[in-house]
PDB file of all heavy atoms in Angstrom:
ATOM      1  N   MET A 229      81.742  96.964 100.105  1.00 79.00           N
ATOM      2  CA  MET A 229      82.754  96.143  99.431  1.00 79.00           C
ATOM      3  C   MET A 229      82.677  94.677  99.858  1.00 79.00           C
ATOM      4  O   MET A 229      83.496  93.855  99.436  1.00 79.00           O
ATOM      5  CB  MET A 229      84.155  96.703  99.723  1.00 79.00           C
ATOM      6  CG  MET A 229      84.357  98.118  99.204  1.00 79.00           C
ATOM      7  SD  MET A 229      84.160  98.196  97.398  1.00 79.00           S
ATOM      8  CE  MET A 229      84.080  99.959  97.121  1.00 79.00           C
ATOM      9  N   HIS A 230      81.721  94.350 100.726  1.00 74.00           N
ATOM     10  CA  HIS A 230      81.403  92.963 101.109  1.00 74.00           C
ATOM     11  C   HIS A 230      82.610  92.207 101.693  1.00 74.00           C
ATOM     12  O   HIS A 230      82.866  91.054 101.346  1.00 74.00           O
ATOM     13  CB  HIS A 230      80.836  92.204  99.906  1.00 74.00           C
ATOM     14  CG  HIS A 230      79.721  92.936  99.216  1.00 74.00           C
ATOM     15  ND1 HIS A 230      78.493  93.169  99.815  1.00 74.00           N
ATOM     16  CD2 HIS A 230      79.667  93.535  97.982  1.00 74.00           C
ATOM     17  CE1 HIS A 230      77.719  93.851  98.983  1.00 74.00           C
ATOM     18  NE2 HIS A 230      78.409  94.097  97.869  1.00 74.00           N
ATOM     19  N   MET A 231      83.339  92.875 102.585  1.00 78.00           N
ATOM     20  CA  MET A 231      84.475  92.236 103.255  1.00 78.00           C
ATOM     21  C   MET A 231      84.049  91.693 104.612  1.00 78.00           C
ATOM     22  O   MET A 231      83.061  92.148 105.196  1.00 78.00           O
ATOM     23  CB  MET A 231      85.615  93.242 103.463  1.00 78.00           C
ATOM     24  CG  MET A 231      86.265  93.754 102.193  1.00 78.00           C
ATOM     25  SD  MET A 231      87.627  94.880 102.588  1.00 78.00           S
ATOM     26  CE  MET A 231      88.176  95.309 100.946  1.00 78.00           C
ATOM     27  N   SER A 232      84.828  90.743 105.123  1.00 74.00           N
ATOM     28  CA  SER A 232      84.634  90.300 106.503  1.00 74.00           C
ATOM     29  C   SER A 232      85.158  91.380 107.448  1.00 74.00           C
ATOM     30  O   SER A 232      85.892  92.286 107.030  1.00 74.00           O
ATOM     31  CB  SER A 232      85.393  88.995 106.750  1.00 74.00           C
ATOM     32  OG  SER A 232      86.798  89.235 106.668  1.00 74.00           O
ATOM     33  N   ILE A 233      84.794  91.292 108.721  1.00 67.00           N
ATOM     34  CA  ILE A 233      85.268  92.272 109.698  1.00 67.00           C
ATOM     35  C   ILE A 233      86.797  92.261 109.767  1.00 67.00           C
ATOM     36  O   ILE A 233      87.442  93.319 109.776  1.00 67.00           O
ATOM     37  CB  ILE A 233      84.674  91.982 111.103  1.00 67.00           C
ATOM     38  CG1 ILE A 233      83.172  92.238 111.096  1.00 67.00           C
ATOM     39  CG2 ILE A 233      85.348  92.852 112.173  1.00 67.00           C
ATOM     40  CD1 ILE A 233      82.484  91.883 112.397  1.00 67.00           C
ATOM     41  N   LEU A 234      87.379  91.056 109.785  1.00 68.00           N
ATOM     42  CA  LEU A 234      88.838  90.953 109.894  1.00 68.00           C
ATOM     43  C   LEU A 234      89.521  91.537 108.657  1.00 68.00           C
ATOM     44  O   LEU A 234      90.496  92.295 108.763  1.00 68.00           O
ATOM     45  CB  LEU A 234      89.243  89.490 110.084  1.00 68.00           C
ATOM     46  CG  LEU A 234      90.715  89.234 110.436  1.00 68.00           C
ATOM     47  CD1 LEU A 234      91.103  89.987 111.708  1.00 68.00           C
ATOM     48  CD2 LEU A 234      90.971  87.742 110.601  1.00 68.00           C
ATOM     49  N   LYS A 235      89.008  91.218 107.472  1.00 77.00           N
ATOM     50  CA  LYS A 235      89.611  91.741 106.237  1.00 77.00           C
ATOM     51  C   LYS A 235      89.449  93.260 106.151  1.00 77.00           C
ATOM     52  O   LYS A 235      90.365  93.981 105.738  1.00 77.00           O
ATOM     53  CB  LYS A 235      88.973  91.081 105.019  1.00 77.00           C
ATOM     54  CG  LYS A 235      89.666  91.454 103.701  1.00 77.00           C
ATOM     55  CD  LYS A 235      89.063  90.703 102.525  1.00 77.00           C
ATOM     56  CE  LYS A 235      89.772  91.074 101.224  1.00 77.00           C
ATOM     57  NZ  LYS A 235      89.207  90.336 100.053  1.00 77.00           N
ATOM     58  N   SER A 236      88.287  93.764 106.573  1.00 75.00           N
ATOM     59  CA  SER A 236      88.070  95.209 106.548  1.00 75.00           C
ATOM     60  C   SER A 236      89.044  95.913 107.496  1.00 75.00           C
ATOM     61  O   SER A 236      89.473  97.032 107.229  1.00 75.00           O
ATOM     62  CB  SER A 236      86.628  95.544 106.943  1.00 75.00           C
ATOM     63  OG  SER A 236      86.412  95.388 108.332  1.00 75.00           O
ATOM     64  N   GLY A 237      89.376  95.245 108.599  1.00 70.00           N
ATOM     65  CA  GLY A 237      90.351  95.820 109.533  1.00 70.00           C
ATOM     66  C   GLY A 237      91.714  96.005 108.890  1.00 70.00           C
ATOM     67  O   GLY A 237      92.346  97.051 109.041  1.00 70.00           O
ATOM     68  N   TRP A 238      92.152  94.988 108.127  1.00 76.00           N
ATOM     69  CA  TRP A 238      93.459  95.090 107.464  1.00 76.00           C
ATOM     70  C   TRP A 238      93.425  96.127 106.340  1.00 76.00           C
ATOM     71  O   TRP A 238      94.361  96.917 106.187  1.00 76.00           O
ATOM     72  CB  TRP A 238      93.866  93.728 106.918  1.00 76.00           C
ATOM     73  CG  TRP A 238      94.311  92.777 107.984  1.00 76.00           C
ATOM     74  CD1 TRP A 238      93.654  91.672 108.442  1.00 76.00           C
ATOM     75  CD2 TRP A 238      95.500  92.880 108.767  1.00 76.00           C
ATOM     76  NE1 TRP A 238      94.354  91.076 109.457  1.00 76.00           N
ATOM     77  CE2 TRP A 238      95.495  91.790 109.675  1.00 76.00           C
ATOM     78  CE3 TRP A 238      96.571  93.771 108.802  1.00 76.00           C
ATOM     79  CZ2 TRP A 238      96.518  91.570 110.601  1.00 76.00           C
ATOM     80  CZ3 TRP A 238      97.592  93.559 109.722  1.00 76.00           C
ATOM     81  CH2 TRP A 238      97.558  92.472 110.603  1.00 76.00           C
ATOM     82  N   TYR A 239      92.367  96.133 105.556  1.00 81.00           N
ATOM     83  CA  TYR A 239      92.252  97.122 104.480  1.00 81.00           C
ATOM     84  C   TYR A 239      92.173  98.546 105.048  1.00 81.00           C
ATOM     85  O   TYR A 239      92.751  99.487 104.491  1.00 81.00           O
ATOM     86  CB  TYR A 239      91.021  96.834 103.616  1.00 81.00           C
ATOM     87  CG  TYR A 239      91.330  96.063 102.357  1.00 81.00           C
ATOM     88  CD1 TYR A 239      91.689  94.720 102.409  1.00 81.00           C
ATOM     89  CD2 TYR A 239      91.270  96.661 101.104  1.00 81.00           C
ATOM     90  CE1 TYR A 239      91.975  94.000 101.261  1.00 81.00           C
ATOM     91  CE2 TYR A 239      91.554  95.956  99.941  1.00 81.00           C
ATOM     92  CZ  TYR A 239      91.908  94.620 100.024  1.00 81.00           C
ATOM     93  OH  TYR A 239      92.199  93.915  98.885  1.00 81.00           O
ATOM     94  N   SER A 240      91.437  98.693 106.144  1.00 77.00           N
ATOM     95  CA  SER A 240      91.275 100.023 106.747  1.00 77.00           C
ATOM     96  C   SER A 240      92.600 100.585 107.243  1.00 77.00           C
ATOM     97  O   SER A 240      92.779 101.802 107.319  1.00 77.00           O
ATOM     98  CB  SER A 240      90.291  99.954 107.921  1.00 77.00           C
ATOM     99  OG  SER A 240      89.000  99.613 107.485  1.00 77.00           O
ATOM    100  N   SER A 241      93.535  99.693 107.595  1.00 80.00           N
ATOM    101  CA  SER A 241      94.804 100.150 108.154  1.00 80.00           C
ATOM    102  C   SER A 241      95.681 100.840 107.105  1.00 80.00           C
ATOM    103  O   SER A 241      96.530 101.666 107.451  1.00 80.00           O
ATOM    104  CB  SER A 241      95.568  98.977 108.770  1.00 80.00           C
ATOM    105  OG  SER A 241      96.050  98.096 107.766  1.00 80.00           O
ATOM    106  N   ILE A 242      95.463 100.530 105.816  1.00 86.00           N
ATOM    107  CA  ILE A 242      96.347 101.069 104.765  1.00 86.00           C
ATOM    108  C   ILE A 242      96.301 102.598 104.695  1.00 86.00           C
ATOM    109  O   ILE A 242      97.353 103.250 104.726  1.00 86.00           O
ATOM    110  CB  ILE A 242      96.011 100.436 103.398  1.00 86.00           C
ATOM    111  CG1 ILE A 242      96.303  98.928 103.430  1.00 86.00           C
ATOM    112  CG2 ILE A 242      96.813 101.109 102.277  1.00 86.00           C
ATOM    113  CD1 ILE A 242      95.788  98.169 102.215  1.00 86.00           C
ATOM    114  N   PRO A 243      95.112 103.236 104.595  1.00 86.00           N
ATOM    115  CA  PRO A 243      95.103 104.706 104.552  1.00 86.00           C
ATOM    116  C   PRO A 243      95.709 105.337 105.800  1.00 86.00           C
ATOM    117  O   PRO A 243      96.339 106.403 105.716  1.00 86.00           O
ATOM    118  CB  PRO A 243      93.609 105.044 104.445  1.00 86.00           C
ATOM    119  CG  PRO A 243      92.972 103.825 103.886  1.00 86.00           C
ATOM    120  CD  PRO A 243      93.757 102.686 104.438  1.00 86.00           C
ATOM    121  N   TRP A 244      95.532 104.685 106.940  1.00 83.00           N
ATOM    122  CA  TRP A 244      96.065 105.262 108.187  1.00 83.00           C
ATOM    123  C   TRP A 244      97.585 105.167 108.238  1.00 83.00           C
ATOM    124  O   TRP A 244      98.246 106.054 108.787  1.00 83.00           O
ATOM    125  CB  TRP A 244      95.432 104.576 109.395  1.00 83.00           C
ATOM    126  CG  TRP A 244      93.942 104.693 109.424  1.00 83.00           C
ATOM    127  CD1 TRP A 244      93.040 103.680 109.334  1.00 83.00           C
ATOM    128  CD2 TRP A 244      93.161 105.899 109.534  1.00 83.00           C
ATOM    129  NE1 TRP A 244      91.755 104.165 109.378  1.00 83.00           N
ATOM    130  CE2 TRP A 244      91.811 105.524 109.501  1.00 83.00           C
ATOM    131  CE3 TRP A 244      93.487 107.252 109.644  1.00 83.00           C
ATOM    132  CZ2 TRP A 244      90.776 106.451 109.584  1.00 83.00           C
ATOM    133  CZ3 TRP A 244      92.458 108.175 109.724  1.00 83.00           C
ATOM    134  CH2 TRP A 244      91.128 107.786 109.699  1.00 83.00           C
ATOM    135  N   ILE A 245      98.153 104.106 107.667  1.00 87.00           N
ATOM    136  CA  ILE A 245      99.621 104.014 107.583  1.00 87.00           C
ATOM    137  C   ILE A 245     100.155 105.119 106.673  1.00 87.00           C
ATOM    138  O   ILE A 245     101.141 105.796 107.002  1.00 87.00           O
ATOM    139  CB  ILE A 245     100.047 102.627 107.046  1.00 87.00           C
ATOM    140  CG1 ILE A 245      99.726 101.534 108.079  1.00 87.00           C
ATOM    141  CG2 ILE A 245     101.543 102.612 106.732  1.00 87.00           C
ATOM    142  CD1 ILE A 245      99.912 100.126 107.555  1.00 87.00           C
ATOM    143  N   VAL A 246      99.501 105.308 105.530  1.00 90.00           N
ATOM    144  CA  VAL A 246      99.883 106.398 104.615  1.00 90.00           C
ATOM    145  C   VAL A 246      99.792 107.738 105.329  1.00 90.00           C
ATOM    146  O   VAL A 246     100.686 108.589 105.224  1.00 90.00           O
ATOM    147  CB  VAL A 246      98.991 106.386 103.357  1.00 90.00           C
ATOM    148  CG1 VAL A 246      99.264 107.619 102.489  1.00 90.00           C
ATOM    149  CG2 VAL A 246      99.219 105.117 102.546  1.00 90.00           C
ATOM    150  N   GLY A 247      98.708 107.932 106.071  1.00 86.00           N
ATOM    151  CA  GLY A 247      98.519 109.184 106.793  1.00 86.00           C
ATOM    152  C   GLY A 247      99.583 109.431 107.844  1.00 86.00           C
ATOM    153  O   GLY A 247     100.067 110.560 108.000  1.00 86.00           O
ATOM    154  N   THR A 248      99.955 108.392 108.576  1.00 86.00           N
ATOM    155  CA  THR A 248     100.990 108.521 109.605  1.00 86.00           C
ATOM    156  C   THR A 248     102.313 108.972 109.000  1.00 86.00           C
ATOM    157  O   THR A 248     102.951 109.919 109.488  1.00 86.00           O
ATOM    158  CB  THR A 248     101.196 107.178 110.333  1.00 86.00           C
ATOM    159  OG1 THR A 248      99.953 106.749 110.899  1.00 86.00           O
ATOM    160  CG2 THR A 248     102.231 107.319 111.443  1.00 86.00           C
ATOM    161  N   ILE A 249     102.725 108.304 107.934  1.00 90.00           N
ATOM    162  CA  ILE A 249     103.992 108.651 107.272  1.00 90.00           C
ATOM    163  C   ILE A 249     103.927 110.060 106.693  1.00 90.00           C
ATOM    164  O   ILE A 249     104.862 110.858 106.832  1.00 90.00           O
ATOM    165  CB  ILE A 249     104.323 107.623 106.168  1.00 90.00           C
ATOM    166  CG1 ILE A 249     104.538 106.234 106.791  1.00 90.00           C
ATOM    167  CG2 ILE A 249     105.556 108.044 105.378  1.00 90.00           C
ATOM    168  CD1 ILE A 249     104.622 105.107 105.775  1.00 90.00           C
ATOM    169  N   SER A 250     102.817 110.366 106.055  1.00 91.00           N
ATOM    170  CA  SER A 250     102.645 111.679 105.426  1.00 91.00           C
ATOM    171  C   SER A 250     102.747 112.803 106.453  1.00 91.00           C
ATOM    172  O   SER A 250     103.416 113.814 106.218  1.00 91.00           O
ATOM    173  CB  SER A 250     101.285 111.729 104.717  1.00 91.00           C
ATOM    174  OG  SER A 250     101.020 113.023 104.235  1.00 91.00           O
ATOM    175  N   GLU A 251     102.093 112.634 107.589  1.00 86.00           N
ATOM    176  CA  GLU A 251     102.109 113.707 108.590  1.00 86.00           C
ATOM    177  C   GLU A 251     103.485 113.885 109.211  1.00 86.00           C
ATOM    178  O   GLU A 251     103.949 115.008 109.399  1.00 86.00           O
ATOM    179  CB  GLU A 251     101.070 113.439 109.678  1.00 86.00           C
ATOM    180  CG  GLU A 251     101.019 114.563 110.697  1.00 86.00           C
ATOM    181  CD  GLU A 251      99.761 114.557 111.523  1.00 86.00           C
ATOM    182  OE1 GLU A 251      98.977 113.593 111.447  1.00 86.00           O
ATOM    183  OE2 GLU A 251      99.559 115.523 112.280  1.00 86.00           O
ATOM    184  N   LEU A 252     104.153 112.779 109.545  1.00 87.00           N
ATOM    185  CA  LEU A 252     105.474 112.886 110.174  1.00 87.00           C
ATOM    186  C   LEU A 252     106.507 113.473 109.215  1.00 87.00           C
ATOM    187  O   LEU A 252     107.279 114.366 109.593  1.00 87.00           O
ATOM    188  CB  LEU A 252     105.932 111.506 110.652  1.00 87.00           C
ATOM    189  CG  LEU A 252     105.236 110.949 111.896  1.00 87.00           C
ATOM    190  CD1 LEU A 252     105.641 109.503 112.128  1.00 87.00           C
ATOM    191  CD2 LEU A 252     105.563 111.802 113.121  1.00 87.00           C
ATOM    192  N   VAL A 253     106.508 112.992 107.972  1.00 90.00           N
ATOM    193  CA  VAL A 253     107.541 113.403 107.014  1.00 90.00           C
ATOM    194  C   VAL A 253     107.254 114.787 106.435  1.00 90.00           C
ATOM    195  O   VAL A 253     108.147 115.635 106.366  1.00 90.00           O
ATOM    196  CB  VAL A 253     107.675 112.366 105.882  1.00 90.00           C
ATOM    197  CG1 VAL A 253     108.665 112.854 104.828  1.00 90.00           C
ATOM    198  CG2 VAL A 253     108.135 111.022 106.447  1.00 90.00           C
ATOM    199  N   ILE A 254     106.005 115.023 106.033  1.00 91.00           N
ATOM    200  CA  ILE A 254     105.677 116.289 105.375  1.00 91.00           C
ATOM    201  C   ILE A 254     105.124 117.308 106.357  1.00 91.00           C
ATOM    202  O   ILE A 254     105.615 118.436 106.462  1.00 91.00           O
ATOM    203  CB  ILE A 254     104.672 116.056 104.225  1.00 91.00           C
ATOM    204  CG1 ILE A 254     105.266 115.082 103.198  1.00 91.00           C
ATOM    205  CG2 ILE A 254     104.311 117.382 103.555  1.00 91.00           C
ATOM    206  CD1 ILE A 254     104.305 114.666 102.105  1.00 91.00           C
ATOM    207  N   GLY A 255     104.083 116.920 107.112  1.00 86.00           N
ATOM    208  CA  GLY A 255     103.457 117.847 108.040  1.00 86.00           C
ATOM    209  C   GLY A 255     104.362 118.282 109.173  1.00 86.00           C
ATOM    210  O   GLY A 255     104.165 119.356 109.752  1.00 86.00           O
ATOM    211  N   GLY A 256     105.340 117.470 109.518  1.00 83.00           N
ATOM    212  CA  GLY A 256     106.259 117.815 110.596  1.00 83.00           C
ATOM    213  C   GLY A 256     107.649 118.163 110.115  1.00 83.00           C
ATOM    214  O   GLY A 256     108.031 119.330 110.061  1.00 83.00           O
ATOM    215  N   TRP A 257     108.429 117.153 109.717  1.00 87.00           N
ATOM    216  CA  TRP A 257     109.850 117.342 109.395  1.00 87.00           C
ATOM    217  C   TRP A 257     110.067 118.316 108.238  1.00 87.00           C
ATOM    218  O   TRP A 257     110.854 119.247 108.344  1.00 87.00           O
ATOM    219  CB  TRP A 257     110.478 115.987 109.066  1.00 87.00           C
ATOM    220  CG  TRP A 257     111.905 116.105 108.620  1.00 87.00           C
ATOM    221  CD1 TRP A 257     113.010 116.227 109.405  1.00 87.00           C
ATOM    222  CD2 TRP A 257     112.367 116.137 107.254  1.00 87.00           C
ATOM    223  NE1 TRP A 257     114.143 116.330 108.624  1.00 87.00           N
ATOM    224  CE2 TRP A 257     113.774 116.276 107.303  1.00 87.00           C
ATOM    225  CE3 TRP A 257     111.734 116.051 106.019  1.00 87.00           C
ATOM    226  CZ2 TRP A 257     114.560 116.332 106.154  1.00 87.00           C
ATOM    227  CZ3 TRP A 257     112.507 116.106 104.869  1.00 87.00           C
ATOM    228  CH2 TRP A 257     113.901 116.243 104.948  1.00 87.00           C
ATOM    229  N   LEU A 258     109.371 118.113 107.104  1.00 92.00           N
ATOM    230  CA  LEU A 258     109.625 118.934 105.926  1.00 92.00           C
ATOM    231  C   LEU A 258     109.265 120.400 106.170  1.00 92.00           C
ATOM    232  O   LEU A 258     110.017 121.303 105.790  1.00 92.00           O
ATOM    233  CB  LEU A 258     108.841 118.392 104.727  1.00 92.00           C
ATOM    234  CG  LEU A 258     109.015 119.175 103.413  1.00 92.00           C
ATOM    235  CD1 LEU A 258     110.480 119.212 102.996  1.00 92.00           C
ATOM    236  CD2 LEU A 258     108.145 118.558 102.312  1.00 92.00           C
ATOM    237  N   ILE A 259     108.131 120.641 106.803  1.00 90.00           N
ATOM    238  CA  ILE A 259     107.711 122.021 107.045  1.00 90.00           C
ATOM    239  C   ILE A 259     108.685 122.731 107.972  1.00 90.00           C
ATOM    240  O   ILE A 259     109.107 123.866 107.714  1.00 90.00           O
ATOM    241  CB  ILE A 259     106.272 122.058 107.604  1.00 90.00           C
ATOM    242  CG1 ILE A 259     105.293 121.687 106.490  1.00 90.00           C
ATOM    243  CG2 ILE A 259     105.932 123.436 108.182  1.00 90.00           C
ATOM    244  CD1 ILE A 259     103.862 121.561 106.925  1.00 90.00           C
ATOM    245  N   ASP A 260     109.088 122.085 109.071  1.00 84.00           N
ATOM    246  CA  ASP A 260     110.081 122.697 109.964  1.00 84.00           C
ATOM    247  C   ASP A 260     111.397 122.941 109.240  1.00 84.00           C
ATOM    248  O   ASP A 260     112.064 123.955 109.455  1.00 84.00           O
ATOM    249  CB  ASP A 260     110.316 121.798 111.191  1.00 84.00           C
ATOM    250  CG  ASP A 260     109.314 122.054 112.301  1.00 84.00           C
ATOM    251  OD1 ASP A 260     108.524 123.011 112.174  1.00 84.00           O
ATOM    252  OD2 ASP A 260     109.309 121.299 113.287  1.00 84.00           O
TER     253      ASP A 260
END
């Protein structure tokens, strides 16, 4: 995608933020 290292760092953080919320809310709280 021809990004700089710094820009790739910010873009890379988006899926991980989604993953964090998804696991806490669905994988943890909702299932229990």
